[in-house]
Amino acid sequence: MLIKTRKKSEIKECEVTPQTLFEQRRLFIKKAVGYSVAAAGFSLPATALAALKINPFQKDSVSLRGELTAKKHVTSYNNFYEFGTDKKDPAKNAASLKTDPWSVTVEGECDKPGVYALEDLVKPHPFEERIYRLRCVEAWSMVIPWIGFPLADLIKQMQPNSKAKYVEFTTLNDPEQMPGQKRSVLDWPYVEALRMDEAMNPLSLMAVGLYGEVLPNQNGAPLRLVLPWKYGFKSIKSIVKIRFSESQPQTTWNLSGPKEYGFYANVNPEVDHPRWSQSRERRIGEFRKRKTEMFNGYAEEVAHLYSGMDLKRNF
Ligand SMILES: Nc1nc2c(c(=O)[nH]1)N[C@H]1C(S)=C(S)[C@@H](COP(=O)(O)O)O[C@H]1N2
Ligand SMILES: [Mo]
């Protein structure tokens, strides 16, 4: 199938002001009968829903929209080792995660460090819908309509200083809520990081929802990254800490298998994983395999970040 878009990955974003969202929220909760369970008692979900309600999906997104991975797959075939290593485990086990209240600690090289309630962190940023492909290092992929806002907006809010060369993200560490952490399959808590220019790239998304709803726990509620040009493991879930640093942080998968999982982890069909090929992938819900594209099809947006770098060495 040939998919025609102006830019391979381009989706016009729907934007609304936070004020509009918050003014309309009350009204919307009353109207959204079908979503009332998800929206009850927690304002972030309602906000995410309101964003979609106010902005119907745009025509420009139709090309990728036709390829969307079914919601049932998106929410039942997951990698979230904090809830077990089987793809079915997160959907089964993630109900024990309490996402309200939620706070995020911001530290390191920035002028606005502190402990932020989730609301105060996301409120200043208008939500958009972004349809992004996400390709797992295990050679499967999905196309997901995310709800979120540019990571760059949040970073600007924190006013990083001139020493901030990297930004590091940490997942909640609580074996009571995350039973998978009782086994040391990874070095908990899960940590991921980006170079500052990668983080500031407009593709980098802070997600709070998908398919028009609040993020299900198994997909990384209440706040996760989505970095569509990188292997899925960079898109860290359930973030509780953001730290700005001068030196390159150590990251969980890189520590656990330095020969297999690099710091950059850019999708690259020409650099195989030591144990399997990265040249093809299977879209979840399909049988046939597709060719994996350089930077997962987002080269136009991100290739310049790596000009002059040897991508075989910096994998
Ligand atoms: N905290 C945390 N974040 C995580 C993971 C994880 O195990 N723990 N798995 C990663 C991997 S390998 C992938 S492919 C994606 C899967 O995201 P999805 O389940 O929403 O599709 O989440 C990433 N983020
Ligand atoms: Mo993954």
Side-chain angles (χ1 to χ4, degrees), residues 96-114:
S96 52
L97 175 65
K98 287 198 291 286
T99 58
D100 177 25
W102 190 270
S103 58
V104 179
T105 302
V106 177
E107 19 173 90
E109 305 293 350
C110 70
D111 293 344
K112 301 279 178 200

Side-chain angles (χ1 to χ4, degrees), residues 74 77-82 134-138 140 142 144 146 171-172 178 186 188 190 210 215 218-220 224 231-238 253:
V74 173
Y77 188 91
N78 302 98
N79 270 340
F80 200 169
Y81 278 16
E82 285 85 340
L134 192 63
R135 198 236 190 239
C136 181
V137 72
E138 294 166 315
W140 49 265
M142 300 195 191
I144 301 174
W146 301 99
T171 296
L172 179 70
M178 297 181 144
L186 286 174
W188 313 114
Y190 195 105
L210 57 78
L215 272 181
Q218 60 267 35
N219 293 94
R224 69 169 290 170
Y231 291 117
F233 68 87
K234 296 294 287 185
S235 294
I236 183 172
K237 296 175 166 180
S238 305
W253 279 103

Side-chain angles (χ1 to χ4, degrees), residues 13-248:
E13 286 118 18
C14 337
E15 285 202 12
V16 282
T17 66
Q19 287 90 331
T20 319
L21 288 179
F22 277 82
E23 280 160 20
Q24 304 230 5
R25 202 189 106 220
R26 270 241 168 83
L27 187 66
F28 178 73
I29 290 174
K30 280 188 196 154
K31 284 186 183 165
V33 185
Y35 294 132
S36 58
V37 175
F42 184 37
S43 49
L44 179 65
T47 318
L49 294 171
L52 282 182
K53 198 70 180 175
I54 295 162
N55 297 278
F57 299 127
Q58 301 223 337
K59 290 171 217 76
D60 293 324
S61 63
V62 163
S63 55
L64 265 180
R65 184 161 292 283
E67 284 194 85
L68 290 183
T69 301
K71 188 178 159 196
K72 64 168 195 267
H73 296 313
V74 173
T75 58
S76 67
Y77 188 91
N78 302 98
N79 270 340
F80 200 169
Y81 278 16
E82 285 85 340
F83 296 103
T85 53
D86 192 275
K87 302 283 178 276
K88 296 193 192 102
D89 285 342
K92 263 191 264 169
N93 301 331
S96 52
L97 175 65
K98 287 198 291 286
T99 58
D100 177 25
W102 190 270
S103 58
V104 179
T105 302
V106 177
E107 19 173 90
E109 305 293 350
C110 70
D111 293 344
K112 301 279 178 200
V115 180
Y116 289 79
L118 182 64
E119 281 250 342
D120 298 331
L121 203 69
V122 304
K123 214 172 177 174
H125 313 292
F127 296 137
E128 310 162 2
E129 184 193 54
R130 301 264 190 101
I131 299 177
Y132 279 168
R133 309 177 196 89
L134 192 63
R135 198 236 190 239
C136 181
V137 72
E138 294 166 315
W140 49 265
S141 60
M142 300 195 191
V143 183
I144 301 174
W146 301 99
I147 310 289
F149 55 91
L151 173 60
D153 287 3
L154 185 144
I155 290 177
K156 284 178 205 149
Q157 182 189 357
M158 299 311 152
Q159 299 178 16
N161 62 37
S162 59
K163 283 193 194 156
K165 303 277 190 291
Y166 294 88
V167 54
E168 176 195 283
F169 304 85
T170 306
T171 296
L172 179 70
N173 189 13
D174 181 352
E176 292 312 308
Q177 293 187 60
M178 297 181 144
Q181 290 178 330
K182 289 176 181 165
R183 292 172 53 215
S184 42
V185 285
L186 286 174
D187 205 357
W188 313 114
Y190 195 105
V191 175
E192 261 309 334
L194 296 167
R195 221 171 52 195
M196 195 58 95
D197 60 341
E198 300 180 299
M200 295 301 287
N201 187 276
L203 275 188
S204 299
L205 188 74
M206 264 291 170
V208 297
L210 57 78
Y211 263 106
E213 293 177 25
V214 183
L215 272 181
N217 285 0
Q218 60 267 35
N219 293 94
L223 190 67
R224 69 169 290 170
L225 279 185
V226 185
L227 307 163
W229 75 100
K230 291 179 178 284
Y231 291 117
F233 68 87
K234 296 294 287 185
S235 294
I236 183 172
K237 296 175 166 180
S238 305
I239 295 166
V240 294
K241 191 164 84 178
I242 299 174
R243 187 175 69 92
F244 296 95
S245 65
E246 193 164 18
S247 54
Q248 184 177 304

